[in-house]
Amino acid sequence: MASRVVSVVKRHPQIAFFVLAYAVAWAFVPFGSFGAFGPLVAALVVIPLTRGWAGLRELGSRLIRWRVRWFWYLVALGLPLAIHLVTAGLHTAAGDDVPSVTAASVSAAVLTFLVRLVNPTDGPLGEEPGWRGFALPGLQSRYSPLAATTMLALLVAGWHLPLFFLEEGGLQPPVLVGGLVTTIAVTYWYAWLFNRTEGSVLMVLMAHSIEGSVQAQGWIYMIVWCAAAVGLIVCDGKAWRRPVDPRVVTSPEARHQPPAPVTLASDSRRG
């Protein structure tokens, strides 16, 4: 039985990953919670089964890929902050109440950002090794970055859906529709950053952490993120077409690595 499951997972690693990511995260919903670490768990299960140590090394190298041009650090942190500032400015122009910025609020945001970088049960570290470290490179091995990101964006948005049922007021249209569309738009930003930094999950992890360290939602936030996503697609069209940089797809060595350790373990239990 175990060898049959391994065989299915090996033949369909992307499908197995998404099924497991959904299953792990949604399994906590009946208990009033959500397993944000589902993509991380799914990647750590599927990669050894399908790619062995080569796949794990590839994921690890993406997670610590810090040697990128210095300005990418500014972009990763600066664009989400700019989105928040533009959103706050538009709310102010519309006469809405906007929380004031104080030393305490800045300190809290910085602390939240740092904790989210290393907390595997939170969104950034719980999601990015799976979405960008495994799923996107695999999809880009077969499809253009634009097509791969579109598929991933829809799947990631669907994965987040139970969160709106758990959150008080989450089913109100500005929260539900705005949240789902924002998630789709943000996925294009993360994919663009990942591809432009030669497959650095670390850069996306930082961007994801800073984006969620300041709470924002609603129509205006959604519109600003959609404008940013459209701008990235229109202004940098070359980044969304083939040929794809080999550093942002699943390497042939990792793709064809046999899952020998797992198979042996299954055989020993069967005997």
Side-chain angles (χ1 to χ4, degrees):
M1 179 64 180
S3 61
R4 186 178 303 172
V5 171
V6 170
S7 178
V8 172
V9 171
K10 188 177 179 182
R11 288 199 305 270
H12 308 286
Q14 292 288 323
I15 295 175
F17 165 78
F18 284 111
V19 169
L20 189 55
Y22 268 72
V24 171
W26 289 21
F28 292 85
V29 173
F31 306 100
S33 186
F34 186 78
F37 47 84
L40 173 62
V41 172
L44 293 179
V45 170
V46 173
I47 290 175
L49 289 175
T50 58
R51 303 175 186 173
W53 284 110
L56 290 173
R57 284 194 299 269
E58 184 174 64
L59 176 62
S61 69
R62 296 188 194 283
L63 278 169
I64 60 174
R65 191 164 295 169
W66 61 273
R67 290 186 175 180
V68 298
R69 300 288 293 274
W70 62 270
F71 58 81
W72 287 116
Y73 285 88
L74 297 181
V75 173
L77 299 176
L79 191 141
L81 290 176
I83 295 291
H84 283 295
L85 289 174
V86 171
T87 301
L90 291 174
H91 275 294
T92 301
D96 300 329
D97 293 331
V98 177
S100 58
V101 178
T102 64
S105 63
V106 172
S107 298
V110 171
L111 180 60
T112 301
F113 166 72
L114 294 175
V115 171
R116 284 164 63 86
L117 280 177
V118 296
N119 182 7
T121 65
D122 202 351
L125 190 55
E127 296 181 41
E128 293 310 326
W131 300 144
R132 255 61 62 174
F134 175 82
L136 184 60
L139 290 171
Q140 290 185 155
S141 298
R142 300 181 59 188
Y143 307 101
S144 70
L146 182 59
T149 302
T150 300
M151 288 184 280
L152 180 61
L154 295 174
L155 288 165
V156 171
W159 179 83
H160 282 87
L161 190 59
L163 286 172
F164 299 97
F165 292 88
L166 297 173
E167 179 183 348
E168 185 176 353
L171 296 182
Q172 297 176 5
V175 180
L176 177 60
V177 178
L180 291 175
V181 175
T182 299
T183 299
I184 292 173
V186 169
T187 302
Y188 286 92
W189 148 240
Y190 292 152
W192 179 82
L193 181 63
F194 174 82
N195 287 335
R196 280 304 189 188
T197 56
E198 302 172 354
S200 173
V201 174
L202 177 61
M203 291 296 102
V204 185
L205 178 61
M206 293 173 59
H208 193 157
S209 296
I210 197 70
E211 187 274 328
S213 297
V214 181
Q215 294 299 317
Q217 58 186 9
W219 299 121
I220 293 180
Y221 190 60
M222 178 198 77
I223 291 171
V224 175
W225 265 117
C226 286
V230 171
L232 290 173
I233 295 172
V234 173
C235 297
D236 194 12
K238 183 179 178 181
W240 303 96
R241 300 190 298 267
R242 286 184 177 272
V244 184
D245 187 326
R247 290 166 293 191
V248 299
V249 300
T250 302
S251 67
E253 293 80 8
R255 262 204 309 271
H256 301 301
Q257 189 73 209
V262 177
T263 303
L264 289 175
S266 301
D267 290 342
S268 64
R269 285 196 298 270
R270 208 169 44 242

